Amino acid sequence: MPPASRKKRASSATSLAEGPLAALVGGLVCECRGQNIIAINEAGRHLLGYRGLGTPVGRAFRQHVAGPWVKKIARSLVALAKGSQPKAITLLSFDGRASAFDVSAHALGGSGSQAKILIVATPSTKASARAQRLLADDAKFQHLAETAAEAMCLIDAASILHVNAAARGLLSMDDPRDVLGRSFIDFVHSDYAPQFKRGHKELVKLSGQSNAEIIKLKDVHGQVFDAELWVRALGPKGPHAVLLRDITQRVIAVETLRSGGQRLQAIVDAVADGVISVDERGLIQSVNAAVHILFGYTAKQLTDKPLTKILPQWTDEKGVVVTVSVLGRESIEFPATMLGKTRDVDGVRNDNSKFPAEITVTTMQHGLGSLFTVVVRDASARKAAEVAQRTYAEKLAKEVATQTREIQDLSRQSQQILESTSDGMIAVDLDGRIKTANPAAGELFDRAASAMTGLSLERVFLYGAGHVRAGQPVPLKAQLASGPFHTDIEVNLARTDGASFDAAYVISPITEARKVLGYVLTVRDVTERKRIAAEQRVAAAVFEQSSEGLCVADARGRVMKSNPAFSRLASVPTGEFIGQQLSDLLMVDAKVYRDAMDALQRERQTEWEQWITDKAGKRQAWRVGLSVIRDDQGRTQQYAAIVSDITSRKLEDEKILFKANYDQLTGLPNRTLFNDRLQRVVLEGRRGKSIVGLMFIDLDGFKAINDTLGHDAGDLLLKATAERLNKSVRESDTVARLGGDEFTVIMPLLDSLDGAKLVASRILTSLTQPFDLAGREGHVSASIGISLFPSQAGDAQQLLHNADVAMYHAKRHGKANYQIWRPELEAEAEARF
């Protein structure tokens, strides 16, 4: 049965909900049969939000119920009439707004699906009364709540009792009574609904947690923001305080840095030392791959855990301050004298075993707080080497004391050997048999130096795993006979422990009176040198072959080097860059470059996007990443810039944005952009207490043009109409097309209704002129409805509704005119519904 028919039938019957007594009740009075509303008083219609938007008659009453009562009345409304009266129930209005009501219900007869129930509901005053009693009982708490910088909501098992000034600002409410009596869960974003499926009980479980809960909330206008949330009990059975902090900007900052940090994370994971980031509470935020090797924990196992779990002594130092706020939040402060210095502490592995570690702590500003970077190294090898070095030094001192006379009697041959090198040193006779070797040589080959005496060189010098002849002797006897001498010879050699190393050795003959008496071989480990050289070759190849533009400048910003990709991006030969200022090379304006330099004073890198026009006249979009390289004293040495061509992405983004927000035929804002601008203009009007006007325009005679001249002619007329509308309105107004032949005009900052009338008159006059439709003439007019905020509508939705109602009134009064919305026009609107 259509709603209008149901309404007519219900009205014709005798109903308590429509009688004179119901009209005197300040709340809702409705009569239901089965599940459906069959009659309702005028006050109830307004409380449920049906102001010119149809009627609740014919709808199920449970559609306007929220919370646990939805399930209780799923089968029958009779449950409302049972038990004590009234009942505290949250009702939902037509637009989804939740409010607390005191509900009483009475059975009027009938059974099953024909049972009749009379329901009376008045706005609940219990929530406000509970809050007033609590605040009146504790003046100290009232002062603390209202003056606290943190947003605070006072809740009990049913609803919100009180919100302080900070919370009112955070939730964008004009009147705190808008939320009193509502459930706090109403302000939780739907993504987090599963976490609060039991409503208030789930929220109370968070009470006493030292760490904040990170969730998404929405204000009274539906705007979503990220927040930190704490819950604190105010007594054993008393209400709870919910403390809130808006962290939206911090989340945006983290998301902005994340893309640039992905490349940095790959580098950090490649570092052999453990790298741990710790927040100001001492909780681990991230770790690199080396931490897993050192401690045996995965990153997931350590994230948000105290660093003392694996480094118990990291804050055990004079000068470190640990403070606790009134909310129970710890904060760690390191003295400047400790930052950047290496200390020895104990590390605790996953199996609870300990190992000696050395740590270096540095700090950086991160959002509103600080992050500590802790670099961890396993000091076991160093400790063992120190012990061995002390033992060796003691042993050597004893040998020196007992062998001083023998050293003084050494032959000239022995003296040459001792003085030839400080690297691994081996003296051999003419047959290649080792006569003596120093300790460094023994360490290189993992042998005792004394045990090498008497061995043939070819038993010690064996090719390592990095050589094609691994395990075979190096042919040193042939080299002793013919050289080359005094020349570095590089080869991969084996150690007795199965490992191998890259070595460079030099053969130096020992001569006396032009006679060769033997040879000295000096050997050094060049593994690290070769690794660095290989990395430099790779870095050079990456620099030259990279598809991103790269350039390096000195400390004064003068370009020293750039790669071919940058030359292609800037359309300038590479050689022309040398010596130019980096700001000129990047083609960035002075303000952006100053901001980038300021950012590099605080951080190591910064990034921005810009449109440029190169010397060839080509317009491009660049993403520029700029990094600073400093020495150990923090002095700037160089700048490095990475430039990427993002023109295609930018153009595609602009196309997508245009398609999403503008009408493809006329180029005017579409319904989506119109709704966004209308909401924003109404919000600005509310804050600035200014008048906002809205016109709803419908073309008269457009269908006839379409039917007689065709759709192409209709499209030409719509385009021309858009042009005439734009010429008729003020520069600050917004003309939009909602679809078909419906247009709107948003008019902010009006002085009075006369300004809107003047614009409407210009539009009507403009549209009276004939349209040239590809050689054929077309004529249309317009029916215009006008509504004003705030005198005629309290929000954007009501403003649009009123303008639509006024437009239909203009249609009914001869078309080609404008009408101003009046309350009595709503009767016509309801008839249409």
Side-chain angles (χ1 to χ4, degrees):
M1 181 185 296
S5 301
R6 286 197 292 267
K7 180 178 179 183
K8 183 176 181 180
R9 179 176 295 182
S11 300
S12 64
T14 301
S15 171
L16 293 175
E18 296 178 335
L21 290 178
L24 298 176
V25 176
L28 174 149
V29 180
C30 70
E31 184 176 342
C32 300
R33 179 184 289 115
Q35 289 283 1
N36 296 335
I37 300 171
I38 61 174
I40 188 169
N41 67 340
E42 187 64 25
R45 286 162 52 86
H46 282 274
L47 284 173
L48 293 182
Y50 291 91
R51 299 180 178 88
L53 300 174
T55 177
V57 174
R59 294 176 178 266
F61 181 79
R62 67 172 180 271
Q63 293 179 358
H64 292 282
V65 176
W69 274 98
V70 176
K71 291 185 178 180
K72 294 180 182 179
I73 62 174
R75 294 186 177 180
S76 172
L77 296 179
V78 175
L80 287 173
K82 295 180 179 180
S84 60
Q85 306 287 341
K87 297 175 171 60
I89 299 177
T90 300
L91 298 184
L92 299 174
S93 65
F94 182 81
D95 59 359
R97 184 183 180 88
S99 302
F101 284 80
D102 295 328
V103 178
S104 300
H106 307 278
L108 299 180
S111 61
S113 61
Q114 297 300 311
K116 297 178 78 174
I117 301 293
L118 181 67
I119 299 173
V120 179
T122 57
S124 176
T125 60
K126 291 183 179 179
S128 176
R130 286 196 300 273
Q132 292 302 320
R133 285 198 301 272
L134 177 64
L135 296 176
D137 291 343
D138 195 343
K140 182 178 180 181
F141 173 80
Q142 181 179 9
H143 176 73
L144 175 64
E146 283 303 309
T147 59
E150 300 284 1
M152 180 184 299
C153 299
L154 189 65
I155 64 170
D156 67 358
S159 58
I160 297 175
L161 301 178
H162 179 73
V163 288
N164 70 349
R168 294 195 289 272
L170 187 62
L171 296 176
S172 302
M173 63 180 68
D174 297 322
D175 190 338
R177 291 174 296 180
D178 291 344
V179 299
L180 293 183
R182 293 178 63 178
S183 170
F184 181 83
I185 310 304
D186 293 344
F187 296 93
V188 176
H189 191 272
S190 58
D191 289 350
Y192 290 80
Q195 296 184 27
F196 298 98
K197 58 184 177 182
R198 298 179 63 192
H200 178 80
K201 293 181 179 179
E202 299 290 352
L203 185 64
V204 170
K205 285 182 180 180
L206 303 177
S207 178
Q209 287 190 179
S210 59
N211 296 334
E213 187 77 9
I214 306 299
I215 65 172
K216 286 185 181 294
L217 298 178
K218 54 186 179 182
D219 63 17
V220 295
H221 303 298
Q223 296 296 317
V224 179
F225 61 94
D226 298 280
E228 289 181 332
L229 176 147
W230 296 267
V231 181
R232 295 290 183 268
L234 300 182
K237 295 183 179 180
H240 288 74
V242 178
L243 306 177
L244 303 171
R245 180 182 297 161
D246 187 350
I247 60 170
T248 303
Q249 293 303 317
R250 191 193 311 173
V251 171
I252 292 173
V254 170
E255 292 299 330
T256 302
L257 289 174
R258 182 173 297 164
S259 61
Q262 289 175 347
R263 288 179 289 179
L264 177 61
Q265 185 62 43
I267 296 173
V268 172
D269 281 338
V271 174
D273 297 331
V275 181
I276 307 171
S277 65
V278 185
D279 68 12
E280 58 191 5
R281 300 169 295 172
L283 301 183
I284 297 172
Q285 301 303 303
S286 67
V287 298
N288 70 340
V291 173
H292 173 66
I293 298 172
L294 284 172
F295 295 95
Y297 289 98
T298 64
K300 185 176 181 180
Q301 290 173 318
L302 290 177
T303 301
D304 287 330
K305 299 298 188 300
L307 183 57
T308 52
K309 178 183 179 72
I310 57 175
L311 293 170
Q313 303 162 323
W314 86 286
T315 57
D316 291 349
E317 191 77 15
K318 185 177 181 180
V320 176
V321 178
V322 180
T323 59
V324 180
S325 70
V326 294
L327 298 180
R329 183 185 179 98
E330 288 190 352
S331 179
I332 299 172
E333 296 181 14
F334 270 75
T337 55
M338 286 182 58
L339 295 174
K341 294 186 177 180
T342 300
R343 297 184 290 129
D344 288 339
V345 296
D346 289 333
V348 181
R349 298 188 181 94
N350 194 7
D351 60 1
N352 289 325
S353 64
K354 295 183 179 181
F355 67 95
E358 57 182 27
I359 65 171
T360 306
V361 180
T362 57
T363 185
M364 62 177 285
Q365 193 68 23
H366 182 73
L368 298 178
S370 298
L371 277 181
F372 298 105
T373 300
V374 182
V375 179
V376 188
R377 305 173 188 86
D378 188 343
S380 302
R382 178 176 63 82
K383 292 284 188 180
E386 290 173 353
V387 172
Q389 185 177 4
R390 287 195 299 269
T391 303
Y392 176 77
E394 292 170 359
K395 181 179 179 181
L396 182 61
K398 291 179 181 178
E399 291 180 356
V400 169
T402 59
Q403 297 180 11
T404 300
R405 188 173 299 277
E406 295 177 9
I407 293 174
Q408 292 175 349
D409 296 334
L410 280 174
S411 65
R412 187 174 180 182
Q413 174 183 331
S414 299
Q415 189 67 32
Q416 279 187 278
I417 294 173
L418 290 174
E419 296 177 355
S420 61
T421 182
S422 61
D423 295 321
M425 185 178 65
I426 303 172
V428 299
D429 60 16
L430 296 175
D431 293 329
R433 194 166 296 278
I434 298 174
K435 303 299 290 181
T436 184
N438 71 344
E443 290 180 8
L444 284 174
F445 293 94
D446 192 38
R447 294 173 179 266
S450 58
M452 297 171 65
T453 303
L455 296 178
S456 169
L457 276 177
E458 293 184 347
R459 288 187 58 186
V460 177
F461 280 69
L462 303 176
Y463 288 116
H467 197 279
V468 293
R469 299 176 62 188
Q472 298 182 33
V474 178
L476 284 176
K477 280 191 176 182
Q479 294 178 18
L480 292 176
S482 59
F485 303 125
H486 305 294
T487 300
D488 274 0
I489 302 172
E490 293 190 359
V491 66
N492 187 265
L493 297 177
R495 291 163 47 95
T496 60
D497 60 1
S500 61
F501 64 101
D502 291 317
Y505 63 90
V506 177
I507 302 173
S508 302
I510 302 172
T511 62
E512 185 175 2
R514 298 184 181 181
K515 183 178 181 180
V516 177
L517 303 178
Y519 303 89
V520 173
L521 277 76
T522 57
V523 188
R524 69 178 61 91
D525 188 342
V526 296
T527 303
E528 184 65 12
R529 188 191 73 188
K530 295 188 70 174
R531 184 188 66 79
I532 293 173
E535 288 181 352
Q536 289 175 341
R537 289 193 297 272
V538 171
V542 170
F543 186 90
E544 291 297 320
Q545 301 300 324
S546 174
S547 60
E548 294 182 311
L550 306 173
C551 65
V552 179
D554 62 17
R556 298 173 63 183
R558 295 175 301 191
V559 176
M560 302 163 56
K561 186 178 181 181
S562 63
N563 70 341
F566 194 93
S567 298
R568 292 193 296 272
L569 282 172
S571 301
V572 177
T574 303
E576 292 187 16
F577 294 149
I578 307 304
Q580 290 189 27
Q581 282 296 314
L582 186 60
S583 57
D584 296 335
L585 188 61
L586 296 178
M587 289 176 275
V588 62
D589 65 54
K591 183 180 183 306
V592 173
Y593 193 74
R594 284 196 305 272
D595 292 343
M597 290 295 105
D598 290 342
L600 291 181
Q601 295 296 321
R602 303 181 300 273
E603 307 288 347
R604 290 180 178 271
Q605 63 181 27
T606 186
E607 189 174 77
W608 70 89
E609 295 181 357
Q610 64 184 38
W611 282 95
I612 63 99
T613 302
D614 62 21
K615 292 186 177 181
K618 182 180 178 182
R619 189 167 180 262
Q620 302 177 67
W622 283 4
R623 181 175 62 245
V624 181
L626 187 60
S627 303
V628 62
I629 302 165
R630 299 185 176 95
D631 61 15
D632 294 339
Q633 285 72 44
R635 293 173 297 200
T636 299
Q637 299 297 300
Q638 291 178 326
Y639 294 96
I642 303 176
V643 180
S644 304
D645 186 350
I646 58 171
T647 307
S648 298
R649 177 176 68 79
K650 280 288 190 182
L651 293 176
E652 191 62 28
D653 289 349
E654 291 178 359
K655 289 180 182 178
I656 293 173
L657 184 63
F658 184 86
K659 288 181 180 179
N661 292 283
Y662 290 88
D663 176 54
Q664 301 303 300
L665 177 63
T666 64
L668 296 176
N670 61 12
R671 185 180 293 272
T672 300
L673 185 55
F674 160 78
N675 286 330
D676 180 72
R677 289 190 179 176
L678 183 61
Q679 292 282 357
R680 177 162 48 82
V681 168
V682 168
L683 182 60
E684 292 171 352
R686 179 178 288 115
R687 291 173 177 170
K689 297 182 180 181
S690 61
I691 301 173
V692 177
L694 179 66
M695 289 185 187
F696 200 110
I697 304 170
D698 190 89
L699 298 183
D700 306 320
F702 173 77
K703 186 175 183 301
I705 296 291
N706 246 359
D707 293 343
T708 58
L709 302 182
H711 291 292
D712 290 341
D715 288 347
L716 290 174
L717 189 141
L718 291 174
K719 291 180 182 178
T721 298
E723 293 175 359
R724 294 188 186 184
L725 290 177
N726 273 324
K727 292 179 180 179
S728 300
V729 302
R730 303 173 304 168
E731 186 175 350
S732 59
D733 297 339
T734 297
V735 180
R737 181 189 176 203
L738 302 188
D741 58 346
E742 293 181 341
F743 297 82
T744 58
V745 179
I746 303 172
M747 298 173 287
L749 302 173
L750 285 175
D751 293 329
S752 65
L753 178 61
D754 291 338
K757 290 180 178 180
L758 179 62
V759 174
S761 298
R762 286 204 298 264
I763 291 174
L764 291 173
T765 301
S766 171
L767 295 179
T768 58
Q769 302 300 316
F771 289 85
D772 180 9
L773 306 177
R776 293 175 291 182
E777 193 169 272
H779 294 271
V780 295
S781 61
S783 297
I784 303 175
I786 302 174
S787 177
L788 299 182
F789 168 91
S791 60
Q792 297 176 350
D795 55 29
Q797 183 180 5
Q798 189 66 44
L799 187 63
L800 178 60
H801 168 80
N802 291 351
D804 181 37
V805 169
M807 182 276 293
Y808 273 100
H809 188 66
K811 287 274 189 188
R812 294 168 62 90
H813 287 73
K815 304 179 181 181
N817 70 98
Y818 65 83
Q819 294 291 325
I820 312 301
W821 180 86
R822 308 186 300 279
E824 54 266 27
L825 300 184
E826 287 297 321
E828 296 180 15
E830 287 194 16
R832 295 204 312 274
F833 278 93

